[in-house]
């Protein structure tokens, strides 16, 4: 089985105005030849304009969250179908900021993942332990439990990735050691194989949490790391390109 291309995805979170499209264009212009697939997930307000600005380039556009229902009375929410309609081809689901801030459960994340598939979007399903869980020795149990609970059976045969983002490493400048990353990624791999058989070996497992140009090479070359989900360092084209070049 050939290894999938690494995926480097930028999660802009609640950052970005129309002027920020220049950064996305600079990423596309500076990409050059890379073995990686590259995506930017801007806020929903920018998806349409960014997909137009990046048309014809190799940079993919994704959403940061999609509602489980295709339409209806859900004020303020955005359906997976609407993300696709605006030009997204991927979507992040189950980010820890949504699990914590909006009480998203594994079951809801699984429903949103099903919705992504229904809309033709490639899901990036996020998992990760808190600092308290890591200190209590629960990291592997928490993460593999999230993988089992958040990945619906419908993913069999579909393109998707899993992102391991330790909550305590997000936006803090802290990262796990390389052996710690590899330990969790190996546990996720074993769970993917248990769930999806041999196909589980080809699912990219991204690492996320304080990835920057200075640490990207070591992280991206660690065992079972198939790419990165990048927050703060994806907002500036120069930093994001520095990470992409480390693949
Ligand atoms: P930072 O790269 O800013 O730590 O954020 C990581 C993240 O949450 C990406 O989804």
């Amino acid at each position: 089985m050939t290894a999938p291309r690494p995926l480097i995805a930028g999660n802009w979170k609640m950052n970005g105005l129309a002027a920020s499209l220049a950064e996305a264009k600079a990423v596309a212009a500076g990409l050059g030849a890379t073995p990686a697939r590259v995506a930017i997930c801007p806020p929903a307000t920018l998806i349409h304009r960014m997909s137009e600005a990046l048309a014809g380039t190799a940079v993919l556009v994704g959403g940061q969250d999609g509602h489980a229902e295709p339409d209806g009375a859900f004020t303020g929410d955005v359906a997976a179908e609407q993300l696709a309609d605006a030009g997204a081809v991927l979507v992040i689901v189950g980010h820890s900021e949504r699990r914590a801030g909006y009480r998203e459960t594994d079951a809801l994340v699984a429903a949103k993942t099903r919705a992504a598939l229904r809309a033709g979007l490639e899901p990036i399903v996020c998992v990760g332990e808190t600092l308290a869980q890591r200190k209590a020795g629960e990291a592997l149990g928490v993460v593999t439990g999230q993988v089992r609970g958040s990945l619906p059976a419908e993913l069999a045969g579909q393109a998707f990735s899993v992102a391991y983002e330790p909550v305590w490493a997000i936006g803090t400048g802290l990262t796990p050691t390389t052996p710690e990353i590899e330990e969790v990624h190996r546990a996720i791999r074993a769970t993917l194989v248990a769930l999806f058989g041999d196909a589980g070996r080809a699912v990219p497992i991204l690492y996320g949490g304080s990835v920057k140009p200075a640490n990207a090479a070591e992280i991206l070359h660690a065992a079972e790391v198939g790419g990165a989900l990048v927050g703060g360092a994806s907002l500036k084209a120069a930093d994001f390109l520095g990470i992409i070049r480390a693949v």
Side-chain angles (χ1 to χ4, degrees):
M1 190 174 294
T2 52
R5 290 173 69 194
L7 173 62
I8 308 293
N11 173 9
W12 280 15
K13 309 191 179 184
M14 199 173 72
N15 299 290
L17 301 171
S20 319
L21 293 171
E23 295 295 330
K25 286 190 221 167
V27 171
L31 208 52
T34 171
R37 299 169 73 217
V38 175
I40 299 176
C41 302
T45 48
L46 285 181
I47 289 175
H48 189 224
R49 279 175 285 178
M50 188 177 289
S51 64
E52 289 190 336
L54 297 179
T57 78
V59 181
L60 308 168
V61 177
Q64 298 176 8
D65 174 55
H67 199 277
E69 297 298 326
D71 50 45
F74 302 103
T75 302
D77 278 315
V78 179
E81 280 78 359
Q82 293 170 321
L83 299 173
D85 187 49
V89 295
L90 303 109
V91 64
I92 298 167
V93 285
H95 192 282
S96 63
E97 286 154 16
R98 298 207 57 90
R99 289 180 185 263
Y102 299 86
R103 302 194 186 171
E104 293 198 2
T105 60
D106 288 341
L108 180 60
V109 176
K112 290 184 167 193
T113 303
R114 266 186 227 104
L117 297 177
R118 184 187 65 215
L121 298 174
E122 179 181 326
I124 302 172
V125 184
C126 301
V127 296
E129 83 285 0
T130 64
L131 187 58
Q133 289 166 332
R134 174 157 287 268
K135 284 188 170 157
E138 296 167 353
L140 294 184
V142 166
V143 168
T144 55
Q146 287 174 330
V147 171
R148 286 186 177 276
S150 306
L151 298 185
E154 289 88 335
L155 284 169
Q158 305 289 330
F160 71 100
S161 54
V162 173
Y164 168 54
E165 299 203 302
V167 175
W168 52 273
I170 295 176
T172 58
L174 302 172
T175 51
T177 63
T178 298
E180 285 171 340
I181 292 174
E182 291 178 334
E183 180 184 38
V184 178
H185 280 231
R186 284 199 174 99
I188 293 172
R189 179 67 69 208
T191 309
L192 287 169
V193 171
L195 290 172
F196 300 106
D198 255 358
R201 297 187 202 286
V203 176
I205 306 172
L206 317 185
Y207 169 79
S210 296
V211 178
K212 49 189 186 238
N215 62 18
E218 176 162 357
I219 290 171
L220 289 168
H221 293 111
E224 296 292 4
V225 173
L229 185 54
V230 184
S234 71
L235 295 172
K236 289 279 166 237
D239 289 343
F240 197 42
L241 285 168
I243 292 167
I244 294 163
R245 290 192 186 113
V247 171

